[in-house]
């Protein structure tokens, strides 16, 4: 399908999928024609068909918009919601059950338990009456200081403890940011593909949600500038885009920061596993390049220490400190004090840096174990685009698009992988399996696990 038909189908699909919403303006004919490298007549023909079928409405000199009166079939929405709910339950099951290749779980077998228990004992014995009061809503002051020192050294930031807000996880951080800053009509842009739980949360709390594709250079900032320039928030994972694990290129970082400054928009940088990099060509955090103070930096200890601790943090632009403090006082109850005290001591005494250094070396070795095993067991079914770091690989299917069926087969053998296509919100998708490697202890273990669904995998993929 070429020419006007391809443009017509693309816009029709985006409108039916809800990516383009009622009343939203579409690019001018000359702008879209130049962007796609086609004649203006080609775009004009596609628009005329969409207008004739009621998907678009021409407003003359004011441009063309998605028909505000367009009513989509409720059955379609119900079907999409049902599929999304099934995927959500599937991901919850993978998170909560034991098995091989679990996603986003640090190497629990190599955690320094003895040191952690020793520090825990010290803080329990040091408990005083004032520790029994309600903890500060912005977080335990020594922990905020320790986090500020850590991100300044390791991620290139330049912040103070007053800019750090402690939260109970990424979803909590995201919700707090939007509660403090967003109105119901603000356009929120999320990367596609993107973290599945993040997508589900945003669908609930962001009425004006849109997506920007991710390619081999990271978030497609040209697409953002062409189609979503008026966004108020961009939420992204530039260190290792989830789940593709590619890094946002330096030119695109500069483009994105320039856009945020010009539009007075906010970039929410989720640096969920930026600590785990295996080459010397590591780009610092996007926030470190943010001279206009438009980046809200979000980090977590779920990927570096343990998910059970439920401690994350936000590094705020200075202009937002008072607003976040006020919002936190109204809507938050703050985290328990003891875990914050233990973590503060773990960081400030140097144990956290030592642990991270050990994990980088360990994860690089374990990634290679899984890669070797995958290539040995399935030499013709998958290919891997190796990235600079992260905690998982994506095994792309060489042929076909049956990643959901394949993932179901593997999960039946306690291989807790997830289909890549399920992380996409739009119609354009890639297909493969997202495979964690952090808790694989040997190449033999990985090989034996991968052989479990061998016959069924070959029967499906051929």
């Amino acid at each position: 399908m070429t020419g006007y038909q391809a443009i017509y189908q693309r816009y029709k699909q985006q409108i039916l999928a809800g990516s383009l919403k009622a009343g939203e303006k579409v690019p001018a004919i000359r702008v879209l024609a130049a962007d796609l490298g086609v004649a203006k007549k080609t775009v004009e023909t596609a628009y005329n068909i969409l207008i004739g079928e009621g998907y678009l409405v021409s407003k003359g000199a004011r441009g063309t918009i998605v028909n505000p009166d367009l009513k989509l079939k409720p059955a379609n929405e119900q079907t999409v919601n049902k599929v999304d709910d099934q995927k959500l339950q599937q991901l919850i099951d993978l998170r909560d059950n034991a098995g091989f290749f679990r996603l986003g779980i640090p190497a629990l077998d190599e955690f320094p338990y003895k040191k952690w228990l020793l520090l825990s004992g010290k803080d329990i014995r040091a408990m005083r009456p004032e520790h029994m009061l309600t903890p500060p809503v912005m977080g335990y002051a020594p922990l905020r200081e320790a986090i500020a020192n850590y991100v300044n050294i390791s991620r290139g930031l330049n912040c103070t403890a007053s800019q750090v807000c402690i939260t109970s996880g990424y979803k909590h951080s995201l919700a707090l940011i939007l509660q403090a800053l967003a109105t119901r009509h603000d356009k929120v842009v999320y990367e596609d593909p993107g973290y599945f739980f993040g997508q589900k949360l945003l669908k609930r709390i962001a009425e004006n949600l849109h997506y920007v594709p991710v390619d081999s250079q990271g978030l497609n900032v040209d697409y953002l500038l062409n189609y979503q320039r008026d966004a108020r928030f961009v939420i992204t994972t530039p260190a290792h885009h989830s789940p593709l694990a590619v890094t946002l290129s330096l030119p695109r970082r500069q483009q994105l920061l320039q856009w945020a400054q010009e539009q007075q928009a906010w970039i929410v940088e989720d640096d969920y596993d930026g600590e785990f990099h295996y080459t010397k060509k590591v780009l610092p955090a996007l926030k470190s390049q943010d001279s206009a103070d438009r980046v809200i930096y979000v980090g977590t200890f779920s990927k570096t220490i343990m998910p059970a601790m439920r401690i994350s943090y936000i590094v705020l632009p200075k202009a937002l400190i008072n607003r976040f403090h006020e919002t936190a006082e109204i809507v938050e109850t703050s985290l328990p004090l003891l875990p914050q005290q233990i973590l503060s001591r773990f960081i400030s005494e140097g144990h956290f840096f030592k642990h991270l250094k050990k994990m980088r070396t360990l994860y690089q070795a374990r990634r290679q174990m899984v890669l070797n095993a995958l290539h040995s067991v399935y030499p013709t079914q998958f290919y891997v685009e190796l990235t600079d770091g992260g905690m998982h690989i994506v095994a792309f299917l060489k042929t076909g698009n049956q990643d959901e069926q394949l993932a179901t087969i593997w999960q039946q053998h306690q291989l807790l992988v997830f289909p890549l296509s399920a992380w996409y919100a739009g119609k354009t998708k890639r297909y493969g399996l997202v495979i964690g490697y952090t808790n694989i202890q040997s190449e033999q273990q990985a090989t034996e696990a991968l052989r479990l669904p061998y016959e069924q995998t070959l029967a499906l993929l051929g």
Side-chain angles (χ1 to χ4, degrees):
M1 187 182 303
T2 59
Y4 74 89
Q5 292 177 323
I7 299 172
Y8 161 79
Q9 287 292 345
R10 178 192 303 180
Y11 275 84
K12 180 179 177 180
Q13 289 172 356
Q14 288 185 332
I15 292 169
L16 292 176
S19 299
L20 285 173
K21 295 178 171 56
E24 183 173 347
K25 189 175 181 180
V26 297
I29 290 174
R30 59 178 179 76
V31 173
L32 184 59
D35 183 59
L36 298 179
V38 299
K40 288 193 292 185
K41 187 67 176 178
T42 302
V43 177
E44 184 178 3
T45 301
Y47 275 19
N48 285 339
I49 296 173
L50 291 164
I51 291 170
E53 294 182 355
Y55 292 105
L56 298 180
V57 174
S58 175
K59 293 293 184 179
R62 290 181 293 166
T64 303
I65 64 172
V66 179
N67 189 347
D69 300 321
L70 184 65
K71 303 294 183 182
L72 300 181
K73 295 180 180 179
N76 290 348
E77 185 176 345
Q78 292 171 4
T79 301
V80 170
N81 288 340
K82 184 177 181 181
V83 171
D84 278 352
D85 290 343
Q86 291 172 344
K87 292 176 181 177
L88 177 61
Q89 186 58 52
Q90 184 183 26
L91 193 55
I92 291 171
D93 291 342
L94 295 182
R95 181 196 66 192
D96 295 344
N97 295 330
F100 296 103
F101 309 121
R102 295 175 72 186
L103 299 177
I105 306 296
L108 302 180
D109 60 309
E110 292 292 337
F111 184 74
Y113 292 99
K114 291 183 179 180
K115 179 60 66 177
W116 187 265
L117 291 174
L118 178 63
L119 300 179
S120 301
K122 287 182 179 180
D123 280 310
I124 291 173
R125 290 189 294 271
M127 183 177 175
R128 298 190 299 273
E130 55 266 33
H131 295 157
M132 301 171 69
L133 301 175
T134 302
V137 292
M138 295 290 280
Y140 178 55
L143 177 58
R144 297 169 70 193
E145 185 72 39
I147 290 172
N149 292 336
Y150 163 66
V151 295
N152 289 344
I153 294 171
S154 67
R155 304 300 291 140
L157 274 62
N158 181 23
C159 69
T160 65
S162 65
Q163 294 174 252
V164 177
C165 176
I166 308 299
T167 69
S168 62
Y170 168 69
K171 290 175 287 183
H172 179 197
S173 297
L174 199 55
L176 181 60
I177 290 168
L178 295 183
Q179 282 178 318
L181 300 178
T183 68
R184 60 178 298 185
H185 299 298
D186 282 340
K187 180 182 285 189
V188 177
V189 167
Y190 198 59
E191 55 194 15
D192 188 29
Y195 177 50
F196 189 79
F197 281 113
Q199 285 188 38
K200 292 293 290 184
L201 173 64
L202 289 172
K203 286 180 180 179
R204 289 176 178 266
I205 65 176
E207 294 185 17
N208 194 6
L209 178 62
H210 298 263
Y211 299 91
V212 169
V214 173
D215 58 28
S216 61
Q217 297 298 309
L219 189 79
N220 190 330
V221 182
D222 284 337
Y223 185 99
L224 170 72
L225 299 180
N226 287 333
Y227 302 114
Q228 308 295 351
R229 179 181 286 273
D230 60 337
R232 174 82 168 146
F233 299 89
V234 168
I235 302 168
T236 184
T237 53
H240 304 126
H241 283 288
S242 177
L244 296 179
V246 298
T247 299
L248 184 63
S249 67
L250 183 58
R252 289 189 178 183
R253 288 169 179 248
Q254 295 168 339
Q255 270 187 297
L256 186 60
L257 291 169
Q258 181 66 29
W259 163 82
Q261 182 176 0
E262 292 174 353
Q263 298 293 123
Q264 289 297 286
W266 298 109
I267 302 167
V268 180
E269 178 183 11
D270 174 17
D271 199 22
Y272 68 104
D273 70 351
E275 291 87 355
F276 302 121
H277 44 79
Y278 313 133
T279 70
K280 293 182 179 180
K281 298 179 180 179
V282 179
L283 289 175
L286 183 66
K287 178 65 178 174
S288 70
Q289 302 165 293
D290 176 30
S291 60
D293 218 12
R294 305 304 304 180
V295 176
I296 303 170
Y297 180 89
V298 176
T300 180
F301 294 99
S302 293
K303 304 294 188 293
T304 53
I305 295 183
M306 65 182 85
M309 184 167 341
R310 308 307 304 154
I311 294 182
S312 296
Y313 56 93
I314 307 171
V315 177
L316 302 166
K318 293 178 181 178
L320 299 181
I321 294 173
N322 290 338
R323 185 181 300 188
F324 268 77
H325 199 155
E326 179 184 14
T327 303
E329 288 284 0
I330 295 171
V331 304
E332 302 302 325
T333 58
S334 71
L335 278 70
L337 182 60
L338 182 59
Q340 296 187 66
Q341 291 175 314
I342 300 169
L343 178 57
S344 174
R345 193 186 294 269
F346 190 71
I347 299 172
S348 61
E349 293 185 6
H351 310 299
F352 185 52
F353 284 92
K354 182 178 179 181
H355 178 60
L356 286 180
K357 182 178 180 181
K358 178 181 178 182
M359 291 303 101
R360 288 189 193 102
T361 302
L362 180 71
Y363 290 170
Q364 186 174 15
R366 290 186 171 183
R367 180 173 73 168
Q368 193 60 50
M369 293 173 189
V370 172
L371 288 170
N372 292 345
L374 184 69
H375 292 149
S376 173
V377 179
Y378 300 106
T380 61
Q381 286 74 31
F382 302 99
Y383 69 95
V384 176
E385 297 172 352
L386 209 56
T387 59
D388 289 334
M391 299 174 70
H392 65 263
I393 60 171
V394 178
F396 294 97
L397 298 184
K398 287 189 175 180
T399 59
N401 60 2
Q402 314 98 312
D403 62 350
E404 293 197 16
Q405 301 96 308
L406 184 60
T408 299
I409 292 171
W410 284 35
Q411 291 160 15
Q412 292 169 353
H413 295 273
Q414 282 69 56
L415 308 187
L416 306 185
V417 300
F418 200 73
L420 174 63
S421 63
W423 298 75
Y424 283 87
K427 298 294 184 182
T428 302
K429 302 182 179 184
R430 300 180 72 185
Y431 300 90
L433 298 178
V434 185
I435 303 174
Y437 52 75
T438 52
N439 281 281
I440 291 297
Q441 299 178 22
S442 69
E443 187 172 325
Q444 180 181 355
Q445 183 188 53
T447 301
E448 291 174 354
L450 290 172
R451 287 192 180 279
L452 293 175
Y454 181 76
E455 297 296 337
Q456 292 167 283
T457 300
L458 293 191
L460 178 67
L461 299 182

